[in-house]
């Protein structure tokens, strides 16, 4: 098709980043991804790009309009372009005309658009705390008390935001729906968006008298101590999620989560290598040459006897099976690096005996 003078055809497939053979589901997925990325409500949003994406989706998601687009290009939907403008395009007012569409079915709750459903009160914020463990505590697990200062539910009203004894009434702002709608006229037509009602936080009800302590928020600041079970095998910088122990949500909404960042104190005797433990032991020249049974400390506490075979060289690793880090029902191993110590001072008799042996390489 020959392009009209001064008219630049639009490649809707390219706008959505899909092939011309893309399925309806592929087109919808591409639209959702791009619309989320460029939505004007986001700090990184781009209104112009968002409208362009919407324009492409409105055509390609409709089988009849897509068929016309594949045959005639975007000129089929431009007024005065020689295509299907006016009554045969999207409307007689130019561009997309005077139609409206609801973004709720596309975005769901991502931007507070309930799609006709009652809004949900915002969830409480997630919080993070640091926990420092001894080396053995990280290996075998421990129960640890964690003290937090955070947002909690108001003790006076129990998080409802209502003065004790006060009844709840239908919210006057959203008429009990929990959401409020807004119509915005754009070059795409009338776009209806929905937001969680700020007056009732999406509950659809508000107290007749607000709590005198929290002033209706249902929230307060307080200190709470949790007893948290740290599982065996955690390591430095691991994060443990404790559900529902973050900041409380307004008016009894779901609380956020607590994330515990693990720090492990070093132990001069041991080091960690994933599920394995490593350490070193010193052997005398005779022990290494003739073999021996030596006591080796382990993370279990105390020592175990380790067999050193004859002819062991300095730097060799010997394995203690099942003495490493617990991993479910099994444990890693403990690798012991041997350091053969050469005596610095010898008596005359010792020197003579060694010379008689003639242990040259």
């Amino acid at each position: 098709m020959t392009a009209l003078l001064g008219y630049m055809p639009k490649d809707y497939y390219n706008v959505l980043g899909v092939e011309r053979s893309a399925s309806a589901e592929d087109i919808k997925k591409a639209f959702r991804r791009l619309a989320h990325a460029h939505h004007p409500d986001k700090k990184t949003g781009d209104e112009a790009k968002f409208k362009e994406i919407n324009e492409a989706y409105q055509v390609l998601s409709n089988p009849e309009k897509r068929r016309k687009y594949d045959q005639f290009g975007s000129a089929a939907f431009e007024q005065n372009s020689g295509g299907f403008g006016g009554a045969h395009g999207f409307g007689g007012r130019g561009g997309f005309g005077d139609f409206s569409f609801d973004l709720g079915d596309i975005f769901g709750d991502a931007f507070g658009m309930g799609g006709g459903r009652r809004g949900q009160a915002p969830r409480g914020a997630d919080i993070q705390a640091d926990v420092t463990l001894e080396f053995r505590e990280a290996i075998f697990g421990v129960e640890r008390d964690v003290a937090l200062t955070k947002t909690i539910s108001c003790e006076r009203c129990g998080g409802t935001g209502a003065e004790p004894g006060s009844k709840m009434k239908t919210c006057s702002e959203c008429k009990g729906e929990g959401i409020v709608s807004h119509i915005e006229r754009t070059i795409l037509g009338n776009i209806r968006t929905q937001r969680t009602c700020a007056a009732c936080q999406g509950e659809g009800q508000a107290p007749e008298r607000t709590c005198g302590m929290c002033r209706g928020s249902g929230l307060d600041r307080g200190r709470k101590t949790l007893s948290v079970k740290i599982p065996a095998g955690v390591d430095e910088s691991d994060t443990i999620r404790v559900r529902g122990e973050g900041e409380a949500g307004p008016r009894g909404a779901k609380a956020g989560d607590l994330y515990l960042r693990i720090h492990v104190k070093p132990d001069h005797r041991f080091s960690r290598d994933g599920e394995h433990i490593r350490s070193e032991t010193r052997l005398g020249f005779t022990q290494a040459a003739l073999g021996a049974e030596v006591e080796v400390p382990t993370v279990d506490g105390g020592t175990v006897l380790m067999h050193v075979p004859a002819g062991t060289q300095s730097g060799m690793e010997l394995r203690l099976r099942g003495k490493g880090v617990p991993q479910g029902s099994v444990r890693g191993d403990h690798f012991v690096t041997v350091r053969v110590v050469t005596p610095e001072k010898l008596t005359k008799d010792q020197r003579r005996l060694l010379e008689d042996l003639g242990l040259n390489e």
Side-chain angles (χ1 to χ4, degrees), residues 277-346:
I277 297 295
R278 297 188 180 277
S279 68
E280 293 186 357
T281 192
R282 293 160 64 89
L283 294 179
F285 174 80
T286 303
Q287 290 175 307
L290 302 180
E293 301 288 330
V294 298
E295 290 188 344
V296 176
T298 69
V299 292
D300 294 87
T303 60
V304 296
L305 279 177
M306 181 181 71
H307 174 70
V308 178
T312 295
Q313 303 297 307
S314 187
M316 287 182 60
E317 284 187 343
L318 302 179
R319 183 196 300 252
L320 298 173
R321 296 186 180 276
K323 291 297 182 180
V325 181
Q327 299 287 321
S329 60
V330 298
R331 289 181 65 176
D333 299 327
H334 182 163
F335 293 91
V336 182
T337 301
V338 173
R339 302 299 180 194
V340 178
V341 180
T342 302
E344 296 181 359
K345 295 181 180 180
L346 298 172

Side-chain angles (χ1 to χ4, degrees), residues 5 22 74 82 87 91 130 167 171 173 188 222 261 264 296 302 317 336:
L5 182 62
S74 60
D130 294 301
K167 296 180 179 180
C171 176
E173 293 292 326
L188 301 179
R261 187 175 179 84
V264 182
V296 176
E317 284 187 343
V336 182

Side-chain angles (χ1 to χ4, degrees), residues 29 55 310:
K29 287 181 180 179
E55 179 181 342

